[in-house]
Structures are given as structure tokens and as C-alpha cells.
Amino acid sequence: MKRYPEFERMLADLPSHFSRGAKLGRPKAPASAPKGVVVCGMGGSALPGLILEAMASSGNLGVPVIVWRNYDLPRIMPPQSLVICLSYSGNTEETISSFLRARRKRLPILAITTGGKLAEAARKYRVPLVLIPAGLPPRLAIGYLTGAVLGALKLDRIGGGITGQKLMPASRVSKNIARLLTAKIPLIYSPPEWQTLAHIWKIAFNENAKIPAFSYAFPEINHNEMMGLASRPLPANKTLAAIFLADSASHPRIRRRIKLTQAILRRRAKIKTLEVKLSGRSFFEKLIYGIELGYWSSYWLAVGRGVNPFDEKLIEDFKKEMGSPKATP
Ligand code: F6R
């Protein structure tokens, strides 16, 4: 089985990217704290926005956050919002369009990228710009991108600071997950406060292992999703496997829901399940551990499937086929 040492090195370095990104972001902190934040970015570059949103909803932020994965900007935004435009390549058309709209509206902007059109536009309009190192697949730049956002918002030192545990590449857990998912479609379920992490796992399986994957969160699962799986199971259920991300700090009723739902999926829906405990003492430790575990699992799955975890040709070809926005009527 072909392994990808360069990918393994990037994964091993990932925990250190968060604090390095924070150092790059700090000098660009706005003079006065924003009253709201709109984070614009797509795919891997949207992940820091989702992490910020999770921090805001758990009360770690104190200002509202909107994650905008679309063209232009939301019609309604908190007054005096900072618009953070994130694009690893700097050439994602949706994000450039948000940047230009924010410019026209004279809103305060922060651009975070490795270069491309976004860096050009930031320089042209004298918008604060954080340049992060190039050379990673955007999803593996999650540490730099997130660190830069948190540094610029002076949030990188809250709750024990942005430190992560290093997970050994040979970690039994990530290999076990990859083994369970062989020839399966993963359903990744999480407590509500970790739905961003479940989404991060989903896109890691999509982009690294090249498989379909779906994520959803409790308690909502018990109000619809489980009916589709366990009422009158389809033969296709055999191709599914469910991963439950669990945190001992979650609401006790959520923890109970996770246990009961696992039993229902196993017994009634005939779906294999696995509970994965998020280890760590703080939000950031659990987050970084969770990201590493998801990324390593998707990597081992890619290796087992004989696919190249770096390959993102389909996304790039699609962008080319879309052509330049100006060429579209
Ligand atoms: C590729 C990836 C994609 C990109 C997305 C936006 O690794 O994760 O989801 O992140 O196509 O591109 P960037 O990040 O360059 O703005």
C-alpha cells in the first residue's frame, strides 16, 4: 500500500500551525474590538468561521458570528461588524465577491490568504492582510487559518490557549476508524457543540479518502434522521457506518441520547457504530485532537483505498470549468 510521507508530515505538524497562525494574526488585530464578525470563505477556508461560530454559541466570544459561504454578503449583519475574508489560494470567486462587496460598503475587512487575487485586492485597497505559508492543501491549512483569525481577534489565549495534543501517526484509534470504514459510507454524529468538528470529519473523508460522508448533530438526529435509518431499514444500510463523537462534558441528556441512538442503529438499523471520545482538557485541546483524529483516519482510509489524499483535481477542474465570473452572463 502506497503511503504519502509528505502528507503524514503535514498532519504531524498540524497542531503547531495553530499557534504559528495566531502569531501571524495578532499584529493585524483591529484597533477596537468588533461588535460582530462575518467570516467569508469556502470549503477548507470556511472551517475557521465554523470554529468561531461554535465558540460564539458556547459563549466564548461575546459577539455574534455569521459564517458566509456564498457570493456577496448577508443582507443583515450586526452593526460595526468586521468582515474576515479567508481564502487559502486567494482565488476563490465567492470570497473575492464578498471582499469587493464589503469594500463597496466601506466595512472594516481583514484578509487572510497565501496570495492570489485576495492579497492583490487587499494591497490595492490597503486592507489589513495576514499572509500565511503556502504549499498545503487548504483543508490542512486549518491550523494556520484558524490561528490567524483567533490571533487577530485576540482569542487565541482564552481557555488555556490554543495548544493541541500530538497524536502519533500510528495511533491505533485512527487506524481502527479507517478499518471500520472500509467500503462504508460514514455518518458522523456529534453533540451540538461539536457539529463543526463532525463537518470537518465529513470533508476530510470527502477530500482525503474520496468517499461520500455525511454529518449531523444531536439532539436533532432523534427528531428525524433516525427514522430514515431504523424504521424500515433499506438494504443500503449495510454500506453505512456511524461514528459518534462524544464529549464527557456534554449535557447529560445528550450523552444519554448518544448511547440510546447507538443501540437503535446497531440493533434496528443494522449499522455498525463506533463511539469516539474527544480527549483534552479545554475546547482547543479537544478541537485539535478531534481534527487530528479525523484527518489521520481519512488518511489511513485513503491509503487503504489506494487513492492520493493530496488529489483535489476535480475541485480545481470544476473551478476552471466555471470560468471567470465576468464571463458569466
Ligand atoms: C481543498 C479544499 C477546498 C478549498 C475551497 C476554497 O483542499 O479544501 O474545499 O478550500 O475550494 O478554496 P480556497 O481555500 O483556496 O479559498
Side-chain angles (χ1 to χ4, degrees):
M1 271 184 292
K2 182 169 160 41
R3 284 174 60 169
Y4 294 81
E6 185 60 8
F7 203 89
E8 291 185 19
R9 195 187 53 71
M10 288 173 181
L11 289 184
D13 283 352
L14 206 152
S16 67
H17 295 172
F18 286 85
S19 49
R20 285 195 231 158
K23 276 200 198 97
L24 299 172
R26 274 227 161 218
K28 304 291 166 166
S32 54
K35 298 264 164 32
V37 184
V38 179
V39 189
C40 308
M42 301 302 302
S45 293
L47 299 177
L50 297 173
I51 291 171
L52 208 60
E53 189 182 51
M55 290 172 70
S57 61
S58 61
N60 272 323
L61 211 60
V63 296
V65 173
I66 299 177
V67 183
W68 190 248
R69 291 179 280 181
N70 194 351
Y71 293 88
D72 303 327
L73 280 176
R75 275 168 198 265
I76 299 174
M77 306 192 322
Q80 298 174 49
S81 283
L82 171 69
V83 177
I84 303 183
C85 295
L86 292 163
S87 169
Y88 190 69
S89 61
N91 291 323
T92 295
E93 64 178 56
E94 296 93 321
T95 314
I96 305 284
S97 127
S98 302
F99 178 97
L100 295 175
R101 177 60 63 97
R103 232 334 273 170
R104 277 199 295 278
K105 292 179 129 193
R106 305 257 173 250
L107 296 171
I109 310 174
L110 171 68
I112 304 176
T113 181
T114 57
K117 292 182 189 151
L118 185 57
E120 252 170 56
R123 287 193 189 104
K124 177 170 166 193
Y125 296 114
R126 297 179 191 286
V127 160
L129 169 67
V130 181
L131 282 176
I132 56 169
L136 296 165
R139 57 198 172 279
L140 296 196
I142 185 170
Y144 279 113
L145 289 166
T146 306
V149 170
L150 295 176
L153 294 175
K154 297 191 183 148
L155 293 169
D156 52 312
R157 292 183 195 154
I158 63 166
I162 192 161
T163 51
Q165 311 174 30
K166 207 164 185 132
L167 188 83
M168 293 311 289
S171 149
R172 206 172 28 86
V173 189
S174 64
K175 287 188 170 167
N176 279 348
I177 295 172
R179 206 166 300 121
L180 172 85
L181 295 181
T182 305
K184 300 276 188 208
I185 295 173
L187 307 170
I188 301 130
Y189 295 145
S190 71
E193 67 275 23
W194 289 112
Q195 61 183 341
T196 295
L197 190 57
H199 175 72
I200 292 172
W201 280 50
K202 170 215 148 44
I203 75 168
F205 286 123
N206 294 156
E207 295 188 88
N208 299 334
K210 277 81 182 167
I211 55 167
F214 302 91
S215 68
Y216 210 36
F218 285 95
E220 188 67 9
I221 288 166
N222 302 125
H223 298 274
N224 37 59
E225 181 108 342
M226 69 177 183
M227 286 281 283
L229 294 168
S231 308
R232 196 164 170 200
L234 289 168
N237 272 17
K238 285 199 196 74
T239 60
L240 303 173
I243 308 270
F244 292 78
L245 304 181
D247 181 354
S248 54
S250 290
H251 191 295
R253 300 292 290 168
I254 295 289
R255 283 186 277 134
R256 180 163 162 73
R257 284 173 186 276
I258 291 179
K259 294 283 178 227
L260 289 179
T261 309
Q262 281 189 74
I264 290 173
L265 291 205
R266 270 198 310 268
R267 284 191 215 122
R268 294 184 49 168
K270 309 287 178 226
I271 291 175
K272 285 204 170 144
T273 68
L274 181 73
E275 184 172 316
V276 174
K277 291 203 171 39
L278 295 177
S279 79
R281 288 154 305 176
S282 65
F283 171 81
F284 286 138
E285 278 193 5
K286 287 178 193 174
L287 175 76
I288 297 172
Y289 171 81
I291 292 172
E292 280 197 278
L293 193 55
Y295 277 7
W296 277 108
S297 306
S298 67
Y299 169 73
W300 294 124
L301 196 58
V303 168
R305 277 171 46 71
V307 297
N308 181 346
F310 279 112
D311 172 29
E312 46 198 53
K313 189 170 179 312
L314 183 58
I315 297 178
E316 293 314 317
D317 287 352
F318 190 88
K319 286 180 185 176
K320 278 191 208 123
E321 189 157 351
M322 284 293 291
S324 138
K326 285 193 198 90
T328 317

